[in-house]
Every structure is written in structure tokens, then in C-alpha cells.
């Protein structure tokens, strides 16, 4: 099972992390709608009040899981290296995270149950895709100021880059028609998508 990060030491943070680990296991086993907060609290060995005070409810707990995962590829987006190297590193980490079997299953749970639980969809989008888009937009805006990118709305740049990463292979993976990519396949995927985004597909004109 993929572990999407560990917090710093401290009893409160360790307790929070234990709740998240437990919730991930139980969500994968039971789904969202069929899982009670009482079951999570019992398995995590914390009080129900603790979970509500830290996460605000089951949707907030799901959102915290998404946030913990997205934090991992944020850390790979480094401003101090070349834009291409930074985007490849981000793409590599992003693709690794979103293609892990547990994450694919969690996304399937979200898609299947969000019509009945709109708060679930809201938490997922705000803590995952929206945060990722904003973080990338800041990256592009900063590099635009340094003259590395054209003066295009940085949110559009971020959206186009992410769309290029979540390609047809990712769609097939969600449908169970593709196997989990290896690290070598992810490396190739990340580099090809980044180069296509940065340099396009038109052949350079001679003369």
C-alpha cells in the first residue's frame, strides 16, 4: 500500500497520521458510503471527537488523504533548477503517485460515490486537482517573470501541462485496461509529455 508521506514527530501528528493510514485502509476495503466514522475511530484507537476536531467529518478525512498525497509531488517542483528539469521531476512524481493501485482504487471510489456525497467530490477537487493547478500556476508565473515562458495565463499553462500528463494511458489505467507502469515507463512518460508541452510537435523550419 502506498504511503503518501509521514508528518513530523509528535504525539498529535503521529495520531493524525495513524488515523489517515487507518482511513485509507478502510476506505479501500469498504468504500465511502458504507464506512462509519465510528469504525475508523475504533480501528485507529482514537476518540470519535478527535477525528471530528481534526478533520471535520468523513469528507474532510478523505480530503486530508488526498492532500497528503498531493503534498508529495509539490515537493518535487523546485524553482532553483531549469524549468524543464523541474517539470520533468514534478511529472515523474505526479505520475508515480496517481498510477499506484491504491490511488487508482480511491479515485474509482470517488467517481462512484460522489453523486451521493457531493462534499466528497468537493474535498477531492479542492485538496487534489485545485491545489495542484494553483501550485503549478505559481511555478509558471514565477518563471514568466524570469522570461522563461510566454505571457500566457499561468493557470492555462498549468491546466495544459496536467492534461498532457493525464493522457489516454491514464484513462485506460482507470478502466483496468492497463497495468501499473514501471518506474522506467513513468520516466519515459514524464519526459515525453514535458518535451511535447515545452517544444510542441511541429518540425522546425529550415532557413
Amino acid at each position: 500500500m502506498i504511503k503518501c508521506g509521514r508528518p513530523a514527530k509528535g504525539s498529535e501528528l503521529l495520531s493524525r497520521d495513524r488515523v489517515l493510514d487507518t482511513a485509507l485502509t478502510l476506505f479501500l476495503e469498504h468504500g465511502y458510503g458504507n464506512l462509519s466514522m465510528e469504525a475508523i475511530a475504533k480501528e485507529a484507537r482514537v476518540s470519535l471527537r478527535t477525528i471530528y476536531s481534526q478533520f471535520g467529518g468523513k469528507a474532510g478525512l478523505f480530503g486530508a488523504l488526498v492532500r497528503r498525497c498531493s503534498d508529495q509531488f509539490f515537493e518535487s517542483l523546485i524553482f532553483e533548477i531549469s524549468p524543464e528539469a523541474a517539470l520533468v521531476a514534478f511529472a515523474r512524481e505526479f505520475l508515480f503517485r496517481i498510477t499506484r493501485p491504491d490511488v487508482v482504487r480511491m479515485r474509482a471510489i470517488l467517481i462512484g460515490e460522489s453523486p451521493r456525497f457531493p462534499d466528497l467530490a468537493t474535498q477531492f477537487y479542492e485538496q487534489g486537482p485545485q491545489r495542484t493547478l494553483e501550485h503549478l500556476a505559481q511555478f509558471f508565473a514565477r518563471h514568466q517573470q524570469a522570461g522563461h515562458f510566454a505571457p500566457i495565463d499561468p493557470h492555462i499553462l498549468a491546466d495544459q501541462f496536467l492534461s498532457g500528463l493525464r493522457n489516454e494511458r491514464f484513462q485506460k489505467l482507470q478502466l483496468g485496461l492497463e497495468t501499473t507502469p514501471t518506474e522506467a515507463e513513468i520516466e519515459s512518460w514524464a519526459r515525453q509529455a514535458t518535451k511535447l508541452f515545452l517544444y510542441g510537435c511541429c518540425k522546425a523550419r529550415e532557413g
Side-chain angles (χ1 to χ4, degrees), residues 22-91:
T22 300
L24 176 60
T25 300
L26 294 178
F27 278 136
L28 291 172
E29 183 177 351
H30 301 287
Y32 183 83
N34 295 327
L35 180 62
S36 70
M37 293 286 281
E38 290 80 3
I40 297 172
K42 180 179 179 181
E43 189 69 20
R45 305 187 306 279
V46 297
S47 68
L48 195 58
R49 176 179 294 182
T50 295
I51 298 182
Y52 276 105
S53 66
Q54 290 187 349
F55 303 102
K58 190 162 58 169
L61 182 56
F62 191 96
L65 281 169
V66 175
R67 187 183 186 93
R68 188 170 70 166
C69 285
S70 62
D71 283 345
Q72 299 303 297
F73 43 80
F74 287 171
E75 294 173 0
S76 66
L77 195 59
I78 303 171
F79 289 96
E80 289 71 25
I81 60 178
S82 73
E84 181 174 346
L87 289 174
V88 168
F90 170 85

Side-chain angles (χ1 to χ4, degrees), residues 124-157:
F124 169 78
Y125 184 75
E126 290 180 350
Q127 301 304 327
Q130 182 173 309
R131 286 184 72 228
T132 305
L133 183 70
E134 291 296 333
H135 199 75
L136 269 173
Q138 291 175 18
F139 172 87
F140 284 117
R142 182 168 170 178
H143 279 289
Q144 282 175 329
Q145 293 175 357
H148 295 142
F149 293 113
I152 300 170
D153 184 339
H155 288 84
I156 292 178
L157 292 176

Side-chain angles (χ1 to χ4, degrees), residues 9 17 24 42 201:
K9 292 182 179 179
D17 198 58
L24 176 60
K42 180 179 179 181
C201 61

